[in-house]
């Protein structure tokens, strides 16, 4: 070989250094590069397999390091009750999430995965987290400032476990309490639901001024990406049957069920989840006119759209009957991320085949992936993909529990107070010789938290998490000299043989979620009615209802001296005692109509034949007790 002249060697060396530095420098990894250019740069480097991997969300139980690397999985979730270990600590959660994340980061492009979880009334899957009242109670407060604070607290507790994404809030407008998800709805009134979307800036942070409409926003490591759900009309199904058909004209859909989505998009919500339901017979998961046409084009939503759990499967009846069609219909409708959640290779194979055979255009895939990447970049996931332990002390913190206690106080509705207005029973006297506390929900933390607590359907009993039962709260509130007798279901003889000053009867619904909560009769199960009859027939009583919606109460109303709707108050039962005993006044006003009989349903405020037991907006007040 001949020798190169020195100038040529220098030029070659310079070219090598330039090309090497260019190979090392990736625009998408540079936070100083404008967001649109980062997205464009990363997209240009991605193979079809990497793009489809980004569109795939799998359950944590199948998110092995091998699967994350081989299929370039873009997102992982915990289904209801899916935890790394029973009563897992925040540290255990962080370790699990980081293990999955490290697998995602080890792929050639190092795109971080986004981990999602249901945090629908606090960080409800996690042991020792603060469990806030369900939305049915929060709507009663009509207090957007409080709801924003709850969003802030929830974000901190979720981030404490290393998770950056929550499937909340549910902004359904429940028009029929027979629906098993009514507990997840703030109100039958779209205006109240709109005001409650203030939880979104609580979860995500306040969107910067002059932000482009519809741009997702998440303000750093103490905030989480939110998810407005379930688009759209899920609260209006026929007879309140879950996942059923919402029969309403276009004007009605836009007037009742759509306004909260408009507000959510304006507030920078990062993601939107599609509903299992149909609108006038058309499955929402396959409704391109509404998902792409209205949400993406008209509302200019620029975050990503996610399916519900096996949502595309349910496009067909029975579910999964024609999966390749479901994949085509769902992705073509505009769904960007598919919550598979288990059999992800089938989804990946079907979608890959459809793109390679021009059934679904690459442009649709690029749109989906660009939206997913936009959220990930905006959240700072590329800069801070791994969680640390700096927020673990936020889980179930005293400050958050006090906030939940305040929310309980403000969510209570006083429906009756005394046999006559001149003789109110509430507030109750703290000093009495002997009082009775009775009912299936008096000493049962699981019952007062309801569904979506530790497990999907919730749990009954006191071993699910930490908190204060209403019985314990009463014991802590009354005078030390007052004897508190607890009997879950006393008979008449027990009542007669004791000289009680008064009784607090706490009854309601068992925990449930989704379809398991659908009810055509809305009655309180035994022994609830028997307890009311046995106790209130002989002594002065206040009945506290712990339910996810209005229930049949008219047959017992004449026997009851005072009646309180406590909804599903969550882990901080002390808030109930605070108001029963007059340390705070009742302020809650019904955000739902309370029917006389189920034959009246659906019945909502503004209907022509409106004849409720307690109307929308009703709620008595009390004076504070001075000691």
């Amino acid at each position: 070989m001949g020798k190169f002249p020195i100038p040529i060697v220098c030029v070659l060396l310079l070219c090598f250094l330039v090309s090497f530095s260019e190979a090392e420098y990736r625009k998408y990894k540079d936070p100083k590069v404008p967001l649109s250019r980062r997205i464009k740069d990363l997209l240009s480097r991605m193979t079809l397999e990497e793009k489809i991997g980004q569109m795939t969300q799998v359950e944590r139980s199948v998110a092995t390091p091998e699967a994350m690397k081989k299929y370039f999985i873009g997102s992982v979730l915990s289904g209801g009750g899916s935890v790394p270990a029973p009563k897992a600590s925040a540290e255990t959660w962080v370790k699990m999430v980081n293990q999955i994340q490290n697998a995602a980061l080890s792929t050639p492009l190092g795109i971080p995965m986004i981990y999602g979880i249901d945090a629908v009334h606090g960080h409800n899957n996690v042991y020792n987290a603060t469990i806030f009242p369900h939305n049915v109670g929060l709507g009663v407060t009509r207090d957007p400032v409080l709801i924003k604070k709850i969003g802030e607290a929830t974000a901190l507790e979720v981030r404490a476990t290393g998770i950056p994404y929550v499937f909340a809030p549910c902004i359904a407008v429940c028009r029929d309490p027979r629906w098993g998800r009514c507990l997840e709805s703030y109100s039958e009134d779209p205006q109240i639901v709109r005001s409650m979307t203030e939880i979104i800036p609580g979860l995500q942070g306040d969107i910067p001024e002059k932000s482009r409409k519809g741009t997702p926003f998440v303000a750093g490591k103490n905030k989480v990406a939110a998810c407005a759900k379930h688009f759209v009309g899920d609260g209006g199904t026929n007879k309140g049957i879950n996942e059923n058909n919402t029969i309403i004209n276009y004007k009605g859909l836009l007037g009742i069920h759509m306004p909260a989505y408009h507000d959510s998009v304006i507030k920078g919500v990062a993601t939107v989840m599609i509903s299992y339901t149909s609108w006038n017979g058309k499955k929402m998961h396959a409704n391109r006119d509404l998902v792409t046409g209205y949400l993406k084009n008209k509302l200019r939503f620029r975050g990503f759209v996610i399916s519900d759990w096996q949502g595309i499967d349910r496009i067909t009846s029975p579910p999964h009957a024609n999966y390749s069609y479901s994949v085509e219909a769902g992705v073509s409708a505009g769904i960007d991320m598919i919550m598979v959640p288990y059999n992800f290779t089938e989804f990946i194979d079907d979608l890959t085949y459809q793109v390679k055979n021009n059934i679904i255009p690459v442009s649709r895939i690029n749109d989906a992936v660009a939206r997913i990447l936009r959220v990930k970049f905006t959240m700072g996931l590329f800069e801070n993909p791994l969680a640390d332990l700096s927020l673990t002390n936020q889980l179930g913190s005293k400050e958050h529990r006090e906030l939940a206690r305040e929310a309980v106080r403000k969510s209570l509705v006083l429906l009756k107070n005394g046999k006559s207005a001149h003789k109110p029973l509430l507030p109750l006297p703290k000093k009495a010789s002997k009082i009775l506390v009775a009912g299936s929900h008096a000493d049962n933390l699981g019952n007062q938290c309801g569904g979506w607590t530790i497990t999907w359907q919730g749990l009954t009993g006191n071993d699910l998490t930490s908190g204060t039962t209403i019985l314990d709260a009463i014991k802590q509130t009354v005078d030390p000299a007052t004897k508190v007798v607890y009997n879950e279901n006393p008979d008449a003889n027990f009542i007669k043989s004791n000289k009680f000053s008064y009784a607090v009867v706490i009854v309601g619904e068992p925990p449930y979620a989704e379809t398991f909560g659908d009810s055509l009769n809305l009655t309180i199960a035994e022994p609830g009615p028997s307890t009311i009859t046995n106790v209130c027939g002989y002594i002065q009583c206040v009945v506290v209802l712990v339910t996810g919606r209005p229930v049949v109460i008219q047959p017992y109303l004449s026997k009851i001296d005072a009646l309180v709707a406590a909804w599903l108050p969550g882990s901080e039962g002390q808030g109930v005692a605070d108001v029963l005993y007059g340390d705070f006044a009742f302020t809650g006003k019904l955000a739902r109509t309370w029917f006389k009989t189920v034959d009246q349903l659906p019945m909502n405020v503004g209907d022509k034949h409106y004849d409720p037991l307690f109307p929308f907006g009703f709620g008595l007040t009390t004076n504070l007790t001075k000691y």
Side-chain angles (χ1 to χ4, degrees):
M1 284 180 67
K3 293 182 180 179
F4 288 99
I6 289 174
I8 295 175
V9 171
C10 292
V11 170
L12 288 171
L13 182 61
L14 184 63
C15 289
F16 172 78
L17 290 172
V18 168
S19 63
F20 179 78
S21 64
E22 282 182 350
E24 286 298 298
Y25 176 71
R26 295 178 173 182
K27 275 184 192 173
Y28 74 88
K29 288 197 170 185
D30 186 349
K32 296 176 184 176
V33 172
L35 179 62
S36 59
R37 285 169 60 190
R38 294 181 79 183
I39 295 169
K40 186 177 180 181
D41 178 61
L42 181 48
L43 262 179
S44 71
R45 300 171 186 268
M46 294 173 74
T47 64
L48 179 61
E49 289 73 23
E50 288 168 323
K51 291 175 182 178
I52 289 175
Q54 284 300 302
M55 297 173 66
T56 307
Q57 185 180 65
V58 306
E59 217 282 324
R60 54 162 288 279
S61 57
V62 297
T64 63
E66 296 73 28
M68 298 300 295
K69 295 174 192 174
K70 182 177 179 180
Y71 297 100
F72 312 102
I73 301 297
S75 185
V76 179
L77 84 152
S78 275
S82 178
V83 298
K87 299 185 178 180
S89 66
E91 290 84 356
T92 301
W93 278 94
V94 168
K95 183 180 178 182
M96 178 200 68
V97 174
N98 281 347
Q99 283 175 340
I100 298 171
Q101 187 67 282
N102 277 318
L105 295 174
S106 69
T107 55
L109 293 173
I111 303 173
M113 67 88 196
I114 181 170
Y115 196 107
I117 197 165
D118 286 287
V120 299
H121 60 141
H123 198 9
N124 51 262
N125 277 279
V126 176
Y127 182 75
N128 206 34
T130 307
I131 306 298
F132 290 92
H134 266 296
N135 290 355
V136 67
L138 295 181
V140 163
T141 71
R142 291 167 168 77
D143 187 344
V145 174
L146 173 68
I147 269 56
K148 184 177 181 180
K149 288 179 181 176
I150 289 172
E152 291 168 350
T154 300
L156 285 171
E157 297 208 12
V158 173
R159 280 287 194 171
T161 58
I163 296 171
Y165 176 29
V166 298
F167 306 125
C170 177
I171 52 173
V173 183
C174 176
R175 303 291 283 176
D176 192 325
R178 292 175 290 187
W179 185 37
R181 303 195 80 156
C182 212
L183 60 91
E184 298 181 58
S185 169
Y186 294 108
S187 178
E188 70 189 42
D189 175 22
Q191 295 310 313
I192 289 180
V193 178
R194 291 183 75 175
S195 70
M196 296 294 104
T197 60
E198 196 61 16
I199 196 170
I200 291 169
L203 292 164
Q204 298 191 155
D206 290 306
I207 194 163
E209 285 185 31
K210 298 180 181 178
S211 285
R212 183 175 172 181
K213 180 185 174 183
T215 302
F217 177 75
V218 183
K221 293 195 290 183
N222 290 355
K223 297 294 181 181
V224 293
C227 179
K229 65 183 190 182
H230 309 83
F231 187 87
V232 59
D234 52 337
T237 58
N238 187 36
K239 296 183 180 178
I241 298 170
N242 192 43
E243 304 183 22
N244 201 17
N245 190 24
T246 297
I247 304 167
I248 193 171
N249 62 27
Y250 188 62
K251 182 180 179 183
L253 186 77
L254 297 191
I256 295 172
H257 300 285
M258 193 67 80
Y261 286 96
H262 175 269
D263 290 28
S264 298
V265 170
I266 292 290
K267 292 175 181 179
V269 73
T271 74
V272 172
M273 185 183 290
I274 303 302
S275 175
Y276 287 131
T277 56
S278 303
W279 174 50
N280 295 335
K282 174 82 170 177
K283 288 280 188 180
M284 279 306 312
H285 273 77
N287 196 320
R288 191 177 190 281
D289 289 341
L290 287 175
V291 176
T292 296
Y294 199 91
L295 177 62
K296 289 184 172 181
N297 294 343
K298 189 168 182 66
L299 294 186
R300 298 180 185 176
F301 172 63
R302 301 184 76 224
F304 70 78
V305 173
I306 186 168
S307 82
D308 207 333
W309 178 279
Q310 295 179 334
I312 63 167
D313 302 52
R314 302 188 204 191
I315 289 172
T316 60
S317 185
H320 208 82
N322 185 344
Y323 193 64
S324 61
Y325 165 74
S326 294
V327 170
E328 180 188 352
V331 174
S332 297
I335 301 174
D336 304 308
M337 183 179 284
I338 309 299
M339 193 184 293
V340 180
Y342 297 116
N343 194 6
F344 56 89
T345 56
E346 182 186 20
F347 167 72
I348 290 170
D349 290 346
D350 279 6
L351 184 54
T352 302
Y353 174 85
Q354 290 176 18
V355 176
K356 287 184 174 179
N357 287 275
N358 298 316
I359 298 167
I360 293 177
V362 174
S363 59
R364 170 76 273 270
I365 303 301
N366 288 342
D367 171 62
V369 178
R371 289 168 175 275
I372 293 164
L373 295 177
R374 181 176 293 117
V375 171
K376 289 183 177 183
F377 279 127
T378 300
M379 294 171 69
L381 266 185
F382 280 80
E383 288 70 54
N384 296 291
L386 296 172
D388 57 40
L389 303 178
S390 62
L391 294 174
T392 54
N393 64 338
Q394 295 290 332
L395 191 70
S397 71
K398 187 174 185 294
E399 183 182 4
H400 296 166
R401 291 185 183 276
E402 283 300 316
L403 179 65
R405 183 173 168 181
E406 177 189 351
V408 173
R409 293 194 294 259
K410 291 180 175 179
S411 67
L412 303 179
V413 182
L414 181 56
L415 299 172
K416 183 180 180 180
N417 192 13
K419 293 284 173 69
S420 71
H422 305 294
K423 291 185 178 180
L425 178 58
L426 298 178
L428 294 169
K430 292 182 180 178
K431 200 163 188 176
S433 58
K434 186 164 59 172
I435 67 172
L436 172 67
V437 179
S440 54
H441 290 55
D443 189 32
N444 197 307
L445 192 62
N447 283 357
Q448 76 186 42
C449 288
W452 290 112
T453 309
I454 304 303
T455 69
W456 175 37
Q457 292 297 317
L459 297 164
T460 194
N462 289 329
D463 191 42
L464 73 165
T465 191
S466 57
T468 304
T469 67
I470 300 172
L471 171 65
D472 284 340
I474 290 172
K475 288 178 177 178
Q476 292 169 26
T477 303
V478 297
D479 189 273
T482 299
K483 185 177 181 182
V484 179
V485 176
Y486 170 60
N487 188 322
E488 185 172 329
N489 186 27
D491 59 23
N493 290 330
F494 179 82
I495 308 297
K496 292 175 187 176
S497 62
N498 283 275
K499 292 184 178 179
F500 294 114
S501 302
Y502 59 83
V504 182
V505 177
I506 306 159
V507 294
E509 295 185 297
Y512 58 78
E514 300 192 45
T515 304
F516 292 90
D518 284 0
S519 172
L520 292 177
N521 57 45
L522 292 177
T523 53
I524 304 169
E526 286 290 354
S530 297
T531 308
I532 293 172
T533 302
N534 291 344
V535 177
C536 299
Y538 295 96
I539 50 172
Q540 274 198 317
C541 76
V542 52
V543 171
V544 178
L545 294 175
V546 177
T547 67
R549 56 206 162 181
V551 291
V552 174
I553 197 65
Q554 189 182 36
Y556 322 108
L557 197 55
S558 61
K559 291 186 178 73
I560 296 168
D561 294 283
L563 179 64
V564 176
W567 314 107
L568 295 167
S571 60
E572 306 312 303
Q574 189 64 49
V576 177
D578 287 343
V579 182
L580 287 180
Y581 286 92
D583 292 328
F584 293 83
F586 280 91
T587 57
K589 307 294 180 187
L590 286 179
R592 303 207 54 78
T593 297
W594 205 294
F595 58 88
K596 292 176 180 175
T597 71
V598 291
D599 296 335
Q600 296 174 295
L601 299 176
M603 176 174 61
N604 294 282
V605 63
D607 289 354
K608 286 182 181 178
H609 304 291
Y610 191 68
D611 182 28
L613 182 63
F614 301 109
F616 174 89
F618 180 80
L620 303 173
T621 57
T622 51
N623 298 318
L624 300 182
T625 303
K626 295 179 181 178
Y627 286 96

